[in-house]
Amino acid sequence: MQTEAVVEHQSGSQGSCKTGSKIWQYSDLMENVDGYLMKYTNLVTGWQYRYFVLNNEAGLLEYFVNEQSRNQKPRGSLPLAGAVISPSDEDSHTFTVNAISGEQYKLRATDAKERQHWVSRLQICAQHHTEAMGKTNPPLQTRSLSLLSQGSGSSPGSQHRINQNANSMLGLSQLQHSSTLYSSRKSLLPDHLLEAREMMSQAQGQHRDLIQSIEGLPSSQGPSPLDQDLLLLKATSLATMTCLSDCLHILQLQQMARQKIALSGPAIEWLEPKIPDILKNGVTVPSITKEDGKTEGTALECLEMDSCDNTGELEEIDFSQEVDDSSSAEEEDLCAVEEERSIILHLLSQLKLGMDLTRVVLPTFILEKRSLLEMYADFVSHPDLFVAITDGPSPMERMVCFVEYYLTSFHEGRKGAIAKKPYNPIIGETFHCSWRVPKATTPPTGVPKEGTSCTSDCYNVRFVAEQVSHHPPVSGFYAECQERQMCVNTHVWTKSKFMGMSIGVSMIGEGNLHLLEHGEEYTFNLPSAYARSILTVPWVELGGKVNVNCAKTGYSAVITFQTKPFYGGKLHRVNAEVKHNPTNTVVCRVQGEWNGTLEFAYTNGETRVIDVTKLPVTRKTVRPNELQGPYESRRLWQHVTESLKERDMDKATEHKRFLEERQRKEERHRAETQTPWRTKYFESKGDGWVYHQPLWKTDAHSSSPVAPEPNP
């Protein structure tokens, strides 16, 4: 049988890849592997080089500060029995090792081939020790204790490793009963997951054969290992296997918890997912109580079930009461996700690939501290670029200005190091804000000339958003600049799906930008968003094709947000083409990163580069919470937001549940009384929703024809 080795100074072997002076060769044999990898510690320390050793005999992945300290006690170790090893989709070098205890190592190799070498070796070792647990030994928890009792025939070194493995999977409060008494009871605890582990082992073997077959294809003839379809097959199969492994891991923990009840021997504290009450079906979350037993009412007094009558009447908005927004959009609570991984694993174990997540209750700690309606306001974070669209002297330049505004509107809402989910808006919830844009502004920098005052010499951009439907969840938002005679109306249905190690959010809907001064209407859609690496450090990328059209001028644009390929490639890539449809002429091309630099190249040879990270962000103005209506976003969610800021997840969950339960009660009441739901600011029109008083209805420009402008 072919063996695997690290061959020094040898080249030309088929199926191997040289990295420095080493050649990685792949086989199914277990082998001790060692070398330097980068290990992620935390946000402060970041990545650090550490010397890792794979000990196949003990089933341990150990690491040291450096190679010279290898003979000393390791700085840390992970038992690989029952562990899940998976490549990360954030780049081609990173992978994670998730132990059955819940501990995780996030590691990074020097290149993709070295990562594949480590992943394959770790998976083979983990598979071997997992199969040994299920086939030749008692059930997981019984086997661990029986190993501890069988110390007479073991060497001190192996006994120490057994103790490490056992202690990593369970905590012993006492171990005073004899091994004979315990072994006599283990037959009463059947391992119901034995068949599932055997099937999983077979599937992993077949998946490994598939990957090796693809990677072993000759590049000279037939399909190449880099064929797009084959790469997609590898990616989807790997995601499926990883998801199945994680679900099996959850089932093992649950089986351990159930079998604990049947044991009357040693007292054992099993490591199992800590599941909050909000995730348990049919269980009511208890009210927050004080020490004297009385229900705490101060936090919820303003949220009485009948205190907010949302009848669809318009709220009187006094924009003069608005003040500069002082809240921060930064989300750096990485530790919360790390600490609550068991809840995420429990949640994933209940999901299926392609499952709609609209009705799934997500744990509170992954929430962003604002509503989805407020997040939509980020699309106007550069209001100077928005109002500059109508300044374009020709239809072509106005279309290019719109593409520039569109591409720069996404990065501001995703500043944090971790992807989090905004609050799901309550039906009837609204959000209002404004921006003041100095009139003496020079696009595209948005920097006002010296001496300009925003109190009297500013354009005002008003924004309003409303949750117009609950099932399906549909939001409408509208922004206008009356002085520039322009407005944009958008309706969005957010549809989330579970995709294994990712969550995809489709933004279904359409937007319409109206430039009344020119009599032009631009229609556009929104890209999909993906939360990647949801078991480690979640991050966001955009994907999909966006079409922009102006029927009057004949100009259109196609914007493509590219998701990162499985191997290589850069993150957050985007490209666009602006075309004059009557002549089928491309007048401008754009390429770059939507959260980095964008290069605009015109057909006349001119180029222009924009760094979105250096664009000035105009702070929105918002009325204080105490002046807002009961269904305005910040006042509605203020107690959830305050609890999240204080890191009191239990209280945040209670407040969130209260709002959701009130929404259900109001929905039941409307159904019983056959009372239709009435929106405040948006009206249903065809398949979409339109603001009730848009500029194109209220302004005189809507009734006077505008002479067509010549194309350049």
Side-chain angles (χ1 to χ4, degrees), residues 68-360:
Q68 289 71 29
S69 61
R70 181 173 178 176
N71 295 327
Q72 302 174 8
K73 181 180 178 181
R75 290 290 298 270
S77 64
L78 278 186
L80 296 177
V84 176
I85 298 93
S86 56
S88 172
D89 51 7
E90 60 184 277
D91 58 45
S92 60
H93 301 172
T94 308
F95 63 98
T96 57
V97 182
N98 297 278
I100 196 172
S101 64
E103 189 176 1
Q104 182 203 64
Y105 287 171
K106 184 177 181 180
L107 308 173
R108 179 176 290 169
T110 57
D111 54 35
K113 285 296 183 180
E114 185 181 7
R115 178 181 80 168
Q116 182 59 35
H117 173 77
W118 275 98
V119 169
S120 62
R121 297 302 97 203
L122 290 167
Q123 287 177 339
I124 290 173
C125 180
Q127 178 185 348
H128 174 80
H129 287 275
T130 303
E131 289 176 350
M133 278 197 311
K135 294 181 179 180
T136 62
N137 291 310
L140 187 59
Q141 68 288 358
T142 309
R143 182 192 68 255
S144 301
L145 288 179
S146 61
L147 284 173
L148 289 172
S149 66
Q150 296 169 1
S152 58
S154 303
S155 65
S158 62
Q159 183 66 34
H160 173 69
R161 288 191 296 268
I162 291 172
N163 289 337
Q164 282 185 324
N165 285 334
N167 289 332
S168 67
M169 288 183 288
L170 52 90
L172 299 180
S173 61
Q174 61 176 3
L175 190 60
Q176 301 172 348
H177 293 272
S178 66
S179 60
T180 305
L181 175 62
Y182 186 85
S183 300
S184 65
R185 294 172 180 171
K186 65 186 181 183
S187 60
L188 300 176
L189 305 174
D191 187 358
H192 299 291
L193 295 179
L194 176 60
E195 184 178 354
R197 280 198 295 268
E198 291 176 347
M199 295 177 64
M200 189 67 194
S201 175
Q202 295 175 6
Q204 288 174 336
Q206 294 173 353
H207 178 255
R208 187 170 57 253
D209 294 340
L210 171 65
I211 299 301
Q212 291 177 346
S213 299
I214 294 176
E215 294 179 347
L217 289 173
S219 57
S220 57
Q221 57 183 2
S224 164
L226 299 180
D227 181 82
Q228 292 296 320
D229 291 335
L230 293 179
L231 290 177
L232 180 61
L233 175 61
K234 290 172 63 176
T236 53
S237 62
L238 177 62
T240 302
M241 294 302 301
T242 304
C243 182
L244 289 174
S245 298
D246 291 335
C247 292
L248 181 59
H249 169 68
I250 291 296
L251 292 174
Q252 288 174 326
L253 292 177
Q254 292 175 343
Q255 177 178 264
M256 290 162 58
R258 287 193 298 268
Q259 291 181 344
K260 174 184 64 174
I261 302 176
L263 293 173
S264 58
I268 302 173
E269 295 178 1
W270 301 100
L271 288 175
E272 56 181 320
K274 178 186 175 183
I275 306 169
D277 292 333
I278 194 65
L279 292 179
K280 298 178 180 178
N281 295 329
V283 178
T284 302
V285 180
S287 301
I288 303 174
T289 57
K290 298 181 180 179
E291 294 181 357
D292 58 5
K294 297 181 180 180
T295 301
E296 181 179 5
T298 57
L300 300 179
E301 283 176 353
C302 62
L303 296 178
E304 294 295 334
M305 284 291 185
D306 299 324
S307 63
C308 297
D309 182 20
N310 191 19
T311 60
E313 296 180 359
L314 293 180
E315 299 166 319
E316 292 294 333
I317 305 300
D318 185 356
F319 291 102
S320 64
Q321 297 174 335
E322 292 183 340
V323 295
D324 289 340
D325 184 21
S326 59
S327 64
S328 173
E330 298 288 344
E331 291 287 341
E332 299 179 351
D333 298 334
L334 177 63
C335 57
V337 177
E338 295 289 339
E339 295 167 358
E340 306 290 352
R341 180 175 288 106
S342 60
I343 300 179
I344 299 178
L345 288 170
H346 170 77
L347 185 65
L348 293 181
S349 69
Q350 304 178 59
L351 306 180
K352 298 179 181 179
L353 288 176
M355 180 177 179
D356 186 358
L357 301 182
T358 303
R359 297 173 182 264
V360 175

Side-chain angles (χ1 to χ4, degrees), residues 599-620:
E599 181 182 19
F600 289 72
Y602 298 87
T603 53
N604 60 5
E606 294 182 2
T607 60
R608 184 163 55 93
V609 176
I610 297 176
D611 187 345
V612 299
T613 63
K614 296 181 180 179
L615 290 176
V617 175
T618 303
R619 286 275 188 179
K620 60 180 176 284

Side-chain angles (χ1 to χ4, degrees), residues 28 34 66 90 152 271 283 286 297 302 401 447 460 469 513 583 604 607 652 707:
D28 290 337
D34 58 82
N66 49 46
E90 60 184 277
S152 58
L271 288 175
V283 178
C302 62
C401 286
V447 180
N460 292 293
S469 172
L513 171 69
T583 59
N604 60 5
T607 60

Side-chain angles (χ1 to χ4, degrees), residues 2 11-17 23-26 215-219:
Q2 181 190 7
S11 61
S13 299
Q14 184 177 358
S16 66
C17 176
I23 297 179
W24 304 118
Q25 293 182 333
Y26 299 99
E215 294 179 347
L217 289 173
S219 57

